[in-house]
Amino acid sequence: MADALFETLLRLGDNTLILGHRVSEWCGHAPVLEEDIALANTALDLLGQTSLWLEYAGEIEGAGRSADDLAFLRDAWDFHNVLLVELPNGDFGQTVMRQYLFDQFNLMNLRALTGSTDNRIAEIAEKAVKEAAYHVDRSRGTVVGLGDGTAESHERMQAALNILWPYALELFITDDTDADMAKAGVIPDPKTLEADYRATIEATLAEATLTLPDAHFGHRGSGKDGRMHTEHLGHILTQMQWLQRAYPGQAW
Amino acid sequence: MYAQMVKSTGEGVKTLDEMAPEERAFQEKVDQDIRIEPRDWMPEGYRKTLIRQIGQHAHSEIVGQLPEGNWITRAPTLERKMILLAKVQDEAGHGLYLYSAAETLGVSRDEMTEMLLSGKMKYSSIFNYPTLTWADIGAVGWLVDGAAIMNQVPLQRTSYGPYSRAMVRICKEESFHQRQGYDIMMKMAQGSEAQKRMAQDALNRFWYPSLMMFGPSDANSVHSEQSLAWKIKINTNDELRQKFVDQTVPQAEYLGLSVPDDTLAWNEDKGGYDYSEPDWDEFFDVLKGAGPANHDRLDARKQAWDDGAWVRDGLLAHSEKKHGAKVAAE
Amino acid sequence: MSKEWPLWEIFIRGQHGLSHRHVGSLHAPDAETAVKNARDVYTRRSEGVSIWVVEARHITATAPGDKGPIFEPSESKVYRHPTFYDIPDDVGHM
């Protein structure tokens, strides 16, 4: 049970860590100042959530690892984020589409987690759910605006959706760990969130004049169980962990 | 400073008697510390000089995001990553406030951006230096923000209302920036041999470029005299540089780091340190575009602007469609 | 150069129940986005509980040249201020 809870917390924390890292790459490079500032706010929220999830994960593991130890000293195969969040930023359209697809899931998942039988998870979710609600509001608005904007923006958003949609489906795979945790009332069963998610996404896409591609998640080694990540994760970690690896055990 | 070598009219300062009634009324308001507001009458030279100065300051904030942003993805802990991201985000905010202030003078942000990208407008030379190690992030906060604050605090009293109000907000927000930089330096200076070396190396590389931020001596510059009379410049470059040196040297001593200047010595008579001037030839080279990172900085800004065009156009097109539909329905 | 997003003036009501106050401006394609941008730009340090946005071109202002006729006449209406009236201390607080 402790192992499953540890793994669950890593999944939550690794998703927000890797996505927060990706979004932070935009700082100083966004299409317009207001968007630069907004993206940084999103990244800051995600990194804040990461600290809470990983700190708790370290406590559950009981091996004395801090949130920083977990973030900076694990190698790729020990990461449990979905592949969606480690994909490169691409153009701004791909970034914002990835954000919306994740935000919508994060909001639904966090709403359910506020009722978790694990009090600490419920508490963290209570704080994070407000942030996620704003993230959805913002990324949804931008997806609609760009989807139904110019011919070029429409085309780019449809291309982004075509790339990303299969990856979004990984969010709803229920494996044994999830099933155990869902049975104990710690997390919602991911696959039970899918219908609602799909309906919400479809409504947004209709407004954005975009079409859901016919696709399914074929990446059999999914990211969440750590079995097979994309090649991108290793490069993220190479950057993120470099100082901690090059100068081990220092205070910063 | 963030605005270096801003040229004003190039003519000498007029006396009140030499001024036409409108200009005299304007100058008297400035002399009495009454703020000039966007729709008030102002000399054309005042307006143009302010656009150059505020624009340059705004560009510096935006280009200034890049050297620090360079380390966001490599920050050594989650907390440091968040602090740095929040700090660089603040710089974007400060750029935004300053562009807004300049916009009240009849120039748009897009126009100013185009002028930055075409090289017609400048940004502070300091951001053409690279950040090579994590200690550089400490040094930038400590020295570069320290030098900036030295200039910005008096500018809160500048004569142009929107500029002054932007400065008030910026100073309030900046108060944590220098402290977080010094905090990094303390950790490094008290850390391992490698960390100490990084800290000293960062100070070595950023000391003189920081002194250059105040610009060359302007004791006899007509531009400076005019700007001082208009109160869009509050102190001379040398005054501010001296103040910066006097404040910073003891801070370096506390860290156990040495300022890379053999001539540095306390001068009892003037109540300040004697120090060596930076290499002003280097300063002019960097200003002209030959610094270590000039190309990288402008390329990054150009790419962000060009790549973002479809996003700006797309969102505007959507708003116009929506608005059109609403009007049609009414 | 493509068309620039319109300029919006931002007003924020702080924590303490005072009126909305002008805090600055920003660019946004429409009003809804202007509100969101204002949230992200101007409330990073929990400065507000309510945001108003107005497109800058919709603001009508007094002309600086009219300052005399508009504002000076009120200066002579001293009787509008409580200190104009002399009430004996014995009456108590009023």
Side-chain angles (χ1 to χ4, degrees):
Chain A
M1 188 72 177
D3 282 355
L5 181 56
F6 177 59
E7 167 120 16
T8 294
L9 290 165
L10 288 182
R11 289 174 181 184
L12 288 162
D14 289 347
N15 278 346
T16 51
L17 171 61
I18 300 302
L19 186 58
H21 180 97
R22 277 296 190 216
V23 177
S24 80
E25 291 174 7
W26 275 99
C27 188
H29 305 276
V32 66
L33 264 182
E34 284 80 357
E35 201 57 59
D36 208 292
I37 294 168
L39 284 169
N41 274 341
T42 301
L44 283 171
D45 287 342
L46 293 171
L47 293 170
Q49 293 171 20
T50 303
S51 296
L52 298 172
W53 294 129
L54 292 187
E55 189 192 344
Y56 186 31
E59 287 170 29
I60 291 298
E61 187 195 28
R65 288 203 277 182
S66 66
D68 279 339
D69 292 337
L70 289 170
F72 293 93
L73 298 173
R74 279 178 299 152
D75 204 346
W77 59 69
D78 286 329
F79 270 75
H80 294 269
N81 57 281
V82 292
L83 303 183
L84 175 72
V85 297
E86 69 194 44
L87 297 179
N89 285 338
D91 65 6
F92 181 81
Q94 194 171 322
T95 292
V96 80
M97 182 61 82
R98 181 186 62 197
Q99 194 62 39
Y100 174 59
L101 294 175
F102 179 79
D103 288 343
Q104 192 65 63
F105 162 79
N106 202 26
L107 179 62
M108 288 173 173
N109 196 42
L110 287 169
R111 272 190 189 139
L113 290 177
T114 58
S116 171
T117 52
D118 184 301
N119 287 337
R120 180 83 168 268
I121 289 183
E123 268 169 38
I124 297 172
E126 198 66 55
K127 175 180 183 291
V129 76
K130 293 182 197 122
E131 296 169 347
Y134 179 74
H135 297 169
V136 168
D137 197 22
R138 179 142 199 131
S139 59
R140 184 186 182 283
T142 313
V143 164
V144 169
L146 291 174
D148 183 31
T150 59
E152 181 182 3
S153 73
H154 174 86
E155 205 175 294
R156 284 176 182 265
M157 293 311 282
Q158 185 63 52
L161 182 63
N162 293 349
I163 295 171
L164 297 171
W165 177 246
Y167 289 92
L169 298 175
E170 184 188 350
L171 294 161
F172 304 99
I173 294 174
T174 301
D175 66 6
D176 291 347
T177 303
D178 295 321
D180 287 352
M181 286 286 103
K183 213 151 120 206
V186 176
I187 61 166
D189 182 338
K191 69 176 180 301
T192 62
L193 299 175
E194 188 175 353
D196 194 10
Y197 177 85
R198 211 179 250 273
T200 312
I201 295 283
E202 274 173 359
T204 299
L205 294 178
E207 219 181 304
T209 68
L210 299 171
T211 331
L212 212 52
D214 187 19
H216 72 283
F217 186 67
H219 305 259
R220 293 263 163 17
S222 73
K224 63 194 277 184
D225 62 17
R227 211 148 35 91
M228 190 153 58
H229 283 277
T230 66
E231 291 177 351
H232 306 294
L233 181 62
H235 290 279
I236 292 178
L237 298 184
T238 302
Q239 253 189 19
M240 189 170 84
Q241 301 182 337
W242 179 73
L243 272 176
Q244 289 272 6
R245 301 285 193 179
Y247 304 93
Q250 304 305 315
W252 299 96
Chain B
M1 190 34 49
Y2 276 12
Q4 294 159 328
M5 311 285 295
V6 174
K7 290 199 163 57
S8 66
T9 56
E11 292 158 20
V13 181
K14 284 189 226 165
T15 64
L16 286 176
D17 291 339
E18 291 166 343
M19 292 176 187
E22 270 177 328
E23 184 167 1
R24 186 190 305 180
F26 162 86
Q27 188 61 49
E28 280 170 352
K29 270 164 85 179
V30 171
D31 293 343
Q32 292 165 43
D33 283 328
I34 297 172
R35 297 276 183 275
I36 306 301
E37 295 298 336
R39 296 171 32 144
D40 289 342
W41 186 91
M42 60 186 82
E44 191 53 18
Y46 176 82
R47 196 182 70 84
K48 282 193 174 144
T49 310
L50 265 179
I51 289 176
R52 269 198 292 270
Q53 178 171 332
I54 303 174
Q56 204 182 107
H57 194 158
H59 296 327
S60 299
E61 299 281 355
I62 302 310
V63 177
Q65 286 186 272
L66 300 170
E68 289 183 282
N70 181 36
W71 279 90
I72 290 172
T73 57
R74 289 179 291 170
T77 68
L78 290 171
E79 192 181 65
R80 287 286 180 208
K81 194 191 276 291
M82 288 188 274
I83 292 171
L84 183 58
L85 180 54
K87 195 216 163 208
V88 182
Q89 180 198 40
D90 273 351
E91 313 295 0
H94 299 170
L96 190 151
Y97 308 156
L98 287 160
Y99 283 128
S100 300
E103 284 177 274
T104 63
L105 293 160
V107 59
S108 77
R109 192 203 293 175
D110 282 6
E111 280 165 353
M112 286 184 275
T113 302
E114 297 282 349
M115 283 193 271
L116 167 71
L117 299 182
S118 69
K120 270 193 221 144
M121 283 180 95
K122 299 280 181 214
Y123 55 91
S124 176
S125 59
I126 189 75
F127 301 117
N128 290 317
Y129 289 86
T131 52
L132 303 177
T133 73
W134 175 249
D136 287 12
I137 297 307
V140 168
W142 171 36
L143 301 173
V144 176
D145 288 304
I149 290 164
M150 206 116 266
N151 188 50
Q152 288 171 176
V153 167
L155 275 178
Q156 294 179 97
R157 293 180 282 115
T158 185
S159 61
Y160 188 55
Y163 191 22
S164 148
R165 289 190 284 275
M167 275 300 141
V168 169
R169 199 178 177 91
I170 289 171
C171 286
K172 206 168 115 200
E173 295 188 354
E174 284 244 337
S175 52
F176 95 86
H177 292 186
Q178 194 188 11
R179 294 169 79 104
Q180 67 85 34
Y182 197 71
D183 188 54
I184 292 176
M185 291 308 273
M186 284 199 295
K187 278 271 170 16
M188 304 293 281
Q190 293 158 5
S192 65
E193 277 314 306
Q195 286 176 307
K196 281 183 195 149
R197 222 181 105 201
M198 274 185 230
Q200 183 62 54
D201 172 63
L203 175 57
N204 291 350
R205 280 182 290 105
F206 276 96
W207 175 253
Y208 285 109
S210 300
L211 295 189
M212 290 177 197
M213 285 176 70
F214 299 94
S217 178
D218 56 355
N220 304 309
S221 148
V222 284
H223 300 297
S224 271
E225 265 175 50
Q226 180 60 77
S227 292
L228 287 164
W230 281 334
K231 292 193 186 165
I232 58 180
K233 187 177 172 84
I234 310 292
N235 307 88
T236 67
N237 296 349
D238 291 326
E239 277 168 14
L240 290 171
R241 186 169 18 248
Q242 183 68 51
K243 218 172 144 195
F244 174 76
V245 171
D246 293 345
Q247 179 188 289
T248 310
V249 170
Q251 293 168 350
E253 279 168 6
Y254 181 85
L255 294 172
L257 301 177
S258 8
V259 173
D261 178 356
D262 294 338
T263 66
L264 192 77
W266 179 256
N267 180 333
E268 195 62 48
D269 292 340
K270 74 170 181 188
Y273 286 90
D274 289 332
Y275 60 91
S276 302
E277 290 279 316
D279 176 355
W280 291 112
D281 290 339
E282 176 181 321
F283 171 79
F284 286 110
D285 275 349
V286 174
L287 213 60
K288 271 185 231 137
N294 293 61
H295 284 291
D296 294 341
R297 301 295 183 242
L298 265 190
D299 280 355
R301 289 311 310 158
K302 266 187 203 141
Q303 198 188 341
W305 186 244
D306 294 345
D307 289 357
W310 72 268
V311 177
R312 297 189 299 274
D313 291 345
L315 291 175
L316 190 61
H318 177 72
S319 298
E320 282 168 355
K321 272 190 224 175
K322 232 178 23 181
H323 186 69
K326 217 167 122 191
V327 171
E330 274 164 9
Chain C
M1 203 193 312
S2 34
K3 217 165 119 194
E4 187 160 8
W5 289 355
L7 186 68
W8 300 77
E9 298 301 332
I10 310 303
F11 301 81
I12 290 182
R13 180 149 55 77
Q15 313 272 359
H16 308 295
L18 297 174
S19 306
H20 285 74
R21 200 168 67 88
H22 183 242
V23 294
S25 26
L26 49 75
H27 289 273
D30 54 41
E32 293 78 16
T33 315
V35 170
K36 288 181 205 161
N37 287 350
R39 180 264 191 198
D40 281 307
V41 172
Y42 287 106
T43 68
R44 302 200 301 285
R45 289 169 170 79
S46 0
E47 291 95 333
V49 293
S50 167
I51 297 172
W52 289 349
V53 302
V54 183
E55 203 179 327
R57 67 188 172 96
H58 292 313
I59 290 184
T60 309
T62 53
D66 293 344
K67 223 160 153 179
I70 294 184
F71 300 112
E72 276 169 30
S74 72
E75 284 171 16
S76 58
K77 313 282 193 297
V78 287
Y79 44 79
R80 286 195 201 271
H81 299 280
T83 46
F84 180 73
Y85 304 93
D86 224 353
I87 304 287
D89 288 348
D90 296 345
V91 177
H93 178 72
M94 187 177 278

